[in-house]
Amino acid sequence: MAIRYLVTCCLVVMCLTQETPPHHTRPHQPLSTHEYHQHPQPAYHQERIFYHTEAPYHSQPTHLPESAYHPKPVYRTEQVAIPACAENTTKPWCLEDAEYPTYEIKHAAEYHYEKLLSLYADVADLNTELSVERPKTLEEETYLCPSHTAYVKPLRAVNTEGKWRVIVNNIDAHYETLTQTTRVEECMTFGEACPLVPKCYESKCLQKSIYHRFLVYDPYDQYFPFAIETFKLPASCACLLGAYTIDH
């Protein structure tokens, strides 16, 4: 009986050892190297990198732009339409001018003296003393149309293109005085009938002109401010006769 009880206890113990271990238990297994040395991964903060996009490409112009540093020189610029000296006169010249640029002309004449002399020689040889002089008294003789004669040194005048120009006159340059004198004769009875002419003839006094060449100063020319231009000035007063008429 005791032997049977002992055998039964051994069988029970053997059965218990062969049963599946509990769910919460885990059979012992050797750990792999990876599981044994596994550590938590450090948390890295990924920084945002912003890339700046390049500006859109603009094609270069095929032509080079003009430089703004060196402006083009102005060679010929129109001067004042009517100078102050001509406001109170109807004549196309001025003998007095409060705005005459004497200092500027003198400075330019000394700077361009040699080149200026070649131009001045063309007008300096005009001798106005050889011009025909009028009789001073009516007892000697008289012309058909009365006129006024004078020798003038204009400071400004209107050229043949209708533009006012500054004429070089009374300018001292290198111990020489640059002057330009001309003779003018103006009709006193322009358009009227000629005196001492019978009324049976159609007549009238006519103003005649002549072309003069003067050395002028152009303040707007930056390279050589001197030139010779042509001017139309009164030269004589003539009597124009028409057809003969018979009045009864």
Side-chain angles (χ1 to χ4, degrees):
M1 187 70 179
I3 296 173
R4 185 180 296 179
Y5 178 77
L6 179 62
V7 173
T8 301
C9 292
C10 291
L11 291 174
V12 172
V13 172
M14 292 177 62
C15 290
L16 291 176
T17 55
Q18 291 180 0
E19 289 182 358
T20 304
H23 181 72
H24 63 275
T25 61
R26 182 179 182 183
H28 177 73
Q29 296 180 1
L31 297 176
S32 63
T33 307
H34 177 72
E35 293 179 354
Y36 185 78
H37 298 285
Q38 187 174 8
H39 299 282
Q41 296 291 338
Y44 296 99
H45 298 282
Q46 183 178 2
E47 297 182 357
R48 294 185 179 181
I49 301 177
F50 296 93
Y51 297 93
H52 298 280
T53 58
E54 296 182 358
Y57 176 78
H58 297 282
S59 60
Q60 296 294 331
T62 57
H63 65 279
L64 296 177
E66 298 182 358
S67 175
Y69 183 74
H70 298 286
K72 292 183 177 180
V74 180
Y75 295 98
R76 303 289 298 180
T77 306
E78 299 301 330
Q79 301 186 23
V80 180
I82 299 178
C85 64
E87 293 180 353
N88 298 325
T89 181
T90 57
K91 297 181 179 181
W93 65 83
C94 291
L95 301 181
E96 297 180 358
D97 185 9
E99 299 178 353
Y100 188 74
T102 303
Y103 176 80
E104 290 80 1
I105 298 177
K106 181 179 179 180
H107 178 74
E110 293 178 350
Y111 184 80
H112 303 281
Y113 184 72
E114 294 183 359
K115 190 175 181 180
L116 176 63
L117 285 182
S118 62
L119 295 180
Y120 181 70
D122 295 340
V123 296
D125 295 336
L126 299 178
N127 190 359
T128 56
E129 295 179 358
L130 301 179
S131 302
V132 178
E133 294 190 7
R134 294 287 307 273
K136 298 180 181 180
T137 60
L138 294 178
E139 287 78 11
E140 298 178 12
E141 62 179 89
T142 185
Y143 290 95
L144 292 179
C145 293
S147 61
H148 175 73
T149 304
Y151 292 89
V152 297
K153 296 180 180 180
L155 300 179
R156 295 181 191 261
V158 179
N159 62 7
T160 53
E161 298 180 358
K163 301 174 183 178
W164 282 92
R165 295 300 189 207
V166 178
I167 299 178
V168 178
N169 244 322
N170 302 326
I171 299 298
D172 296 330
H174 292 286
Y175 306 101
E176 185 176 358
T177 303
L178 307 180
T179 59
Q180 300 180 89
T181 306
T182 185
R183 177 184 180 273
V184 294
E185 182 178 343
E186 300 176 271
C187 278
M188 299 176 63
T189 57
F190 173 72
E192 299 180 4
C194 301
L196 306 179
V197 175
K199 294 183 179 180
C200 58
Y201 289 93
E202 181 184 359
S203 65
K204 64 178 180 179
C205 293
L206 181 65
Q207 178 69 63
K208 301 185 70 175
S209 302
I210 193 173
Y211 291 95
H212 292 266
R213 298 168 67 245
F214 286 127
L215 177 64
V216 300
Y217 169 75
D218 186 1
Y220 296 96
D221 195 327
Q222 301 179 3
Y223 294 98
F224 186 68
F226 297 100
I228 294 180
E229 297 185 5
T230 306
F231 298 80
K232 185 179 180 181
L233 299 177
S236 61
C237 188
C239 179
L240 178 64
L241 295 178
Y244 175 78
T245 59
I246 299 177
D247 298 329
H248 298 282

